[in-house]
Amino acid sequence: MHPMLTIAVKAARRAGSLINRASLDLDLITVKHKSENDFVSEVDQAAEQSIIETLLGAYPNHAILAEESGEQGDSEYQWIIDPLDGTTNFLHGFPQYAVSIALLHKQALTHAVVYDPTRNDLFTASKGQGAFLNDRRLRVSKRIKLKDSLIGTGFPFRDFSHLDPYLAMFRDAVQKTSGVRRPGSAALDLAYVAAGRLDGFFEIALKPWDIAAGALLIQEAGGLVGDFVGNENFLDRGNVVAGNPKIFVQLLQMLAPHLTDALRR
Ligand code: IPD
Ligand code: CA
Ligand code: CA
């Protein structure tokens, strides 16, 4: 394992044990409203601080982009961190959430960790080296027809400006696939596409820390990730379509009739 990935794994596992400990007594956790339907708990913040400490402890000159504390440093190496993806699930004791850490080197995703502390599932990838779940090599699923596929998605929950086109997409997805799931952690949803547990995924208006690690996992597992027209700028735009190569193309075709100008950009 590349030393940088080893450090990222260490950071993710530390944050994971902190999250697991906190999950034993959810009533004790202080929660703040970031905005309507958007919560941050002291656990998100403590996990993020612990991750940043571990990463900067090993690489003091690297830069950081983290959900709760924003950007720091200036370097060709930037760590993109979601300390707890799926906070709403976590706060309800619904066991589907993860720590997500990715390294961007000169704008390219190079290392990725998504760690599910409830199942001790560790998803890792390094550019050109494949994707793994614990010690097992991952491949995306082999399903070739949309109608046989299981698709993950995320509902709009804070910003409802794309709700109408989203519902039109959802309506198609419900009718044209074998099932649609909204597990509640985008990073983990993407990891599941890499692992072949989902055949595809789409969501509007995600943030770079939701996507970065999961995207590299999928690419290294032989899948494709893009924005709603199939381009590569999904990290900045936040509109994400992913899947095994066959399902990716069929998802793009399914979504196309529902795209507004804003979603095409
Ligand atoms: C959220 C989760 C959710 C997705 C939201 C994200 P958070 O992240 O990934 O699945 O639908 O768009 O914001 O806020 O729990 O880190
Ligand atoms: Ca998130
Ligand atoms: Ca988060």
Side-chain angles (χ1 to χ4, degrees):
M1 194 183 274
H2 190 285
M4 289 185 186
L5 183 61
T6 305
I7 292 295
V9 167
K10 192 166 152 190
R13 285 197 184 278
R14 275 191 187 158
S17 17
L18 193 151
I19 292 167
N20 278 344
R21 256 176 283 133
S23 75
L24 299 175
D25 211 336
L26 292 172
D27 292 340
L28 292 181
I29 299 172
T30 330
V31 181
K32 278 183 242 145
H33 248 92
K34 281 203 274 193
S35 60
E36 186 67 22
N37 273 340
D38 197 2
F39 303 99
V40 58
S41 73
E42 54 185 332
V43 181
D44 300 61
Q45 281 159 340
E48 181 163 307
Q49 279 321 307
S50 138
I51 293 166
I52 293 176
E53 248 174 64
T54 306
L55 297 175
L56 292 186
Y59 302 106
N61 299 324
H62 284 190
I64 302 281
L65 169 62
E67 178 175 12
E68 312 303 342
S69 59
E71 283 189 276
Q72 54 174 292
D74 181 18
S75 160
E76 61 187 37
Y77 291 95
Q78 187 187 45
W79 294 95
I80 305 185
I81 304 162
D82 191 332
L84 175 49
D85 186 54
T87 297
T88 302
N89 281 349
F90 169 76
L91 292 174
H92 288 260
F94 188 101
Q96 182 76 6
Y97 41 82
V99 178
S100 174
I101 303 174
L103 181 66
L104 208 56
H105 180 222
K106 297 185 174 171
Q107 306 306 321
L109 291 167
T110 44
H111 300 293
V113 180
V114 173
Y115 179 53
D116 169 354
T118 76
R119 299 177 182 82
N120 196 22
D121 270 356
L122 181 75
F123 299 88
T124 55
S126 293
K127 195 179 164 90
Q129 304 298 312
F132 295 82
L133 166 51
N134 301 319
D135 294 326
R136 194 163 56 81
R137 181 85 190 245
L138 293 181
R139 293 299 299 171
V140 290
S141 76
K142 294 192 172 62
R143 266 184 207 85
I144 52 177
K145 289 185 187 147
L146 191 61
K147 74 172 181 50
D148 299 328
S149 67
L150 186 62
I151 300 300
T153 187
F155 304 146
F157 70 107
R158 173 183 46 213
D159 168 3
F160 296 116
S161 51
H162 302 293
L163 188 58
D164 286 340
Y166 179 79
L167 289 174
M169 294 170 180
F170 180 71
R171 190 186 174 84
D172 259 356
V174 167
Q175 290 178 313
K176 295 181 177 171
T177 69
S178 108
V180 183
R181 299 289 181 269
R182 196 291 189 241
S185 161
L188 212 46
D189 297 345
L190 294 170
Y192 280 23
V193 173
R197 295 175 180 177
L198 290 169
D199 305 297
F201 171 82
F202 68 97
E203 185 164 347
I204 295 173
L206 286 166
K207 298 290 187 192
W209 44 81
D210 301 316
I211 312 164
L216 185 62
L217 287 168
I218 293 177
Q219 289 163 346
E220 288 298 323
L224 295 173
V225 188
D227 64 11
F228 282 5
V229 290
N231 289 339
E232 273 176 15
N233 63 345
F234 54 86
L235 214 52
D236 304 327
R237 306 292 313 159
N239 303 323
V240 178
V241 181
N244 79 38
K246 293 269 193 293
I247 299 301
F248 176 76
V249 172
Q250 292 167 66
L251 273 178
L252 286 177
Q253 285 165 354
M254 182 193 87
L255 299 175
H258 310 299
L259 297 183
T260 55
D261 286 347
L263 292 175
R264 230 173 256 121
R265 241 179 277 134

